[in-house]
Structures are given as C-alpha cells and as structure tokens.
Amino acid sequence: MDDNTPRAVTMRDVAQAAGVSVSTVSHVVNNKQGARIGKDAWERVQRAIQELGYRPNAMAKDLVKGRSRFIGLVADAIASTPFAGQIIRGAQDEAWRHGHVLLVANTEGNDAAETEAIAMMLEHKVRGVLYSTWYHRQVELPVGLTETDCVLVNCFAAGGGLPAVVPDEVAGGRQATRMLLAEGHRRIGFINTTTPSPAQDGRLEGYRGALAEAGVPFDPDLVIDAQPDQEGGYEAVGHLLAQDATGVFCHNDRVAMGVYDAVRERGLRVPEDLAVVGFDNQEVIAAHLRPPLSTVALPHYELGQAGVRVLLGLDQPADGGRVVVPCPPVHRSSVSTVAPD
C-alpha cells in the first residue's frame, strides 16, 4: 500500500474537529430523530463534515436503519448458461435503475453453497432475494428464504406461498403455431419434450389452442415426444414426413437444429419442403442456422426485470401470486407459404 495514499476520514475525525462525541456525530449523520443535540453542536458537526470531506459508510448507515440497497440473487446455474444469464442482466439493470445493487450467488445446484449464500445475504440485510433457476420448473424452497422478502424467478413453489415471475409457456406455444398457420400450413407437427415440466404442458396447450382458433383439427399423430436435443429432432423427422407434415413446431432450438440436419440429409430443404419454428431464441443457434430459424423467445431479461419490480413493490402479482411474462415471436426465414395442392 502506498504510504502517500490519503487516509479516509472517519467519524472519530469529525467528532474531534467538532468537539463532540462520536455518538453525536452518528446521530447527525443518520439524522436521528429525537436525538438531544443542541443547534450549535449540530452545526459544528455539519461544518466539520464539509471541511474534512467525510463520506458516511453507506452500508453501515443502511444497516442501522435495518435495510440496505442490496438485492440478492441466488441462482442454480444461470450465470454459466449464456442465454439464461440474461436474467441476471435484466435484474441488475432494473435494480440499478431504482438505486439498488445486485449481489449474485451462482450455486451450481450445490445445497450447501445455496444455504451459505442465503445466510450471507441475510447478514447484509438485503432488501430481498430473487431466487432463480435456469429453466422453468417447480422448486423446493431453501431454508432461510422465508426470513426476508423473496420473489421466485423462472420457477415457482408448490402452494404459491411466494410471488413468482414465469414465462407464458401457453401463449408462447400459441405464437409458434400461429407463425406456421399464418403461412397456410395445416399439417403442422409438434416435437415436444419427454421431460415433465411447465414447458412440456404449456407449449402443447398453446399448440392445440392455435389449431382450434384456426379451425384445424388436432391430430395426435402429429405430436411426437422426443429428447429435447439435436438427436431428438433428427429422429422425429421421418415420422413427420410420413404424416405429410408441411411444418413443425419444435420444443426448443436444439431440436430444430436436428430437424434441419435430417431434412438436409434427405435432399430436402427448409422451408420449401418443411417449415420449421423453434423455441428459446438461442442466438448462437437460431440466428446462425441456414436459413435463420424462426422461433419464440424466452424473455429472460424481462424475467429479471420483473422480479426486481415485484420485490420492490412496483408491480403486483395477479391472483395466484404470479406475474406471467410474454414470449414474443422472432420471425426469420425458416417458414414460408405452403404450396397449394
């Protein structure tokens, strides 16, 4: 450490300059109501603060008042998941906009690390905690979350005991299917996941709802449960083509990537022979496929923003304690008008 580095002015320095006790300085700095301090002493302290350039310790000041400008965010893996990391960015931007700073703990699903992170945040008397997961699911609440205000982000708890901010899976599935319907497709397949989740149920519900709106009968033979990855999409294409599908809605963009592979291997083309819509809008996949993939975005940034707004009381959850965030369609080049018979 450089010996020439100026020493920070302390509360004790102010007390000596003003000729008062440290406790008197503390009362003035924290604007302590009801403190018995004469006008002359109060003015001497204020003058010493100005002359010495004293800056109060914001954290200590907030702790005295039983609050802080910190918001905690405890995540299972989103900091290391590129597209889901937008939750942190959205929460951070919204927190800063309202004078708060985000404290992030990425636990990688380690229960001990999670418990320690929550305990640390409680010690710092955070304004509240956002508890988030990298994919939308039901969670068991960790010990400690009930000791402060908490909002669940991209997840929810059984019984709805805490407010939750989640993506609108049903409307997202409807948007994906509508993109294909709008171009005249009527034989539309849906490659769903084998993993039980709100996404599995919600996107299927949205798919069926969009078909019903358009007066297209639901055909269970056009729905395939597959592993939610490239291999799952690749293996589903043969069945879809055998069912005369002209378009397909894929559970996620990785599944869509497998569909592209299988279509190309058969000497066919996207979208001329099979129109494809994904889900997630993973930029590293969707925007760089050839042709670029039409998809539906998971609103991770907006989920983070909404979590902070609910925590700070700026937005109120609807009945049931949930804020449902829209999943917007992203139009690219993998959908085209179906050729007439």
Side-chain angles (χ1 to χ4, degrees):
M1 182 176 175
D2 189 345
D3 291 339
N4 294 322
T5 302
R7 182 176 67 85
V9 177
T10 67
M11 204 175 282
R12 186 175 298 279
D13 295 330
V14 174
Q16 290 176 348
V20 298
S21 67
V22 172
S23 62
T24 296
V25 175
S26 176
H27 290 328
V28 173
V29 167
N30 291 298
N31 197 25
K32 180 77 171 179
Q33 299 300 312
R36 303 178 69 178
I37 303 171
K39 180 181 178 183
D40 179 61
W42 191 284
E43 290 176 348
R44 291 203 312 273
V45 170
Q46 293 285 11
R47 189 161 52 248
I49 287 173
Q50 300 240 342
E51 291 173 353
L52 296 176
Y54 172 71
R55 296 186 63 186
N57 183 318
M59 180 182 289
K61 185 176 179 181
D62 283 341
L63 290 176
V64 166
K65 295 181 178 180
R67 60 170 173 78
S68 82
R69 289 182 294 172
F70 290 121
I71 290 174
L73 188 150
V74 178
D76 61 354
I78 62 175
S80 56
T81 307
F83 70 100
Q86 289 292 312
I87 290 176
I88 293 176
R89 184 165 160 255
Q92 187 169 267
D93 288 352
E94 192 68 18
W96 187 253
R97 190 174 292 118
H98 299 287
H100 290 73
V101 175
L102 201 66
L103 293 178
V104 179
N106 186 47
T107 66
E108 296 294 341
N110 184 303
D111 291 343
E114 186 174 80
T115 299
E116 184 66 23
I118 293 171
M120 176 200 71
M121 291 174 180
L122 292 175
E123 287 174 7
H124 281 78
K125 295 188 182 295
V126 292
R127 172 64 182 79
V129 172
L130 305 179
Y131 183 81
S132 185
T133 55
W134 78 270
Y135 72 93
H136 182 193
R137 61 187 175 91
Q138 181 174 310
V139 295
E140 295 290 333
L141 295 179
V143 176
L145 280 185
T146 56
E147 296 180 35
T148 187
D149 292 340
C150 179
V151 176
L152 305 178
V153 178
N154 207 32
C155 57
F156 59 95
L162 289 177
V165 177
V166 296
D168 193 338
E169 305 282 8
V170 176
R174 189 179 299 119
Q175 291 279 18
T177 311
R178 282 174 176 168
M179 277 196 271
L180 293 159
L181 289 165
E183 297 299 332
H185 294 275
R186 293 298 180 266
R187 295 294 293 169
I188 299 171
F190 176 38
I191 305 175
N192 204 358
T193 181
T194 55
T195 306
S197 63
Q200 183 192 48
D201 297 336
R203 294 174 197 178
L204 175 60
E205 181 181 340
Y207 164 80
R208 296 189 64 161
L211 293 178
E213 287 173 358
V216 176
F218 171 71
D219 183 350
D221 288 335
L222 286 171
V223 177
I224 304 168
D225 290 337
Q227 292 298 318
D229 53 26
Q230 192 169 356
E231 289 72 20
Y234 179 89
E235 293 172 0
V237 168
H239 178 83
L240 287 172
L241 294 176
Q243 296 297 320
D244 298 320
T246 63
V248 59
F249 161 33
C250 302
H251 178 78
N252 63 34
D253 294 345
R254 289 178 297 147
V255 170
M257 186 162 53
V259 170
Y260 271 54
D261 291 342
V263 168
R264 188 179 303 112
E265 189 175 276
R266 286 168 166 78
L268 303 175
R269 294 179 300 167
V270 174
E272 290 83 358
D273 298 300
L274 186 68
V276 183
V277 174
F279 206 106
D280 287 351
N281 194 33
Q282 291 194 47
E283 287 289 335
V284 69
I285 297 175
H288 300 288
L289 288 173
R290 291 293 176 266
L293 177 67
S294 295
T295 187
V296 172
L298 275 175
H300 289 104
Y301 183 89
E302 291 78 7
L303 289 171
Q305 282 185 308
V308 169
R309 292 186 63 81
V310 172
L311 185 68
L312 295 179
L314 302 172
D315 291 339
Q316 296 297 324
D319 292 341
R322 293 194 190 183
V323 172
V324 181
V325 181
C327 299
V330 181
H331 297 272
R332 293 194 179 97
S333 307
S334 62
V335 177
S336 66
T337 303
V338 68
D341 294 332

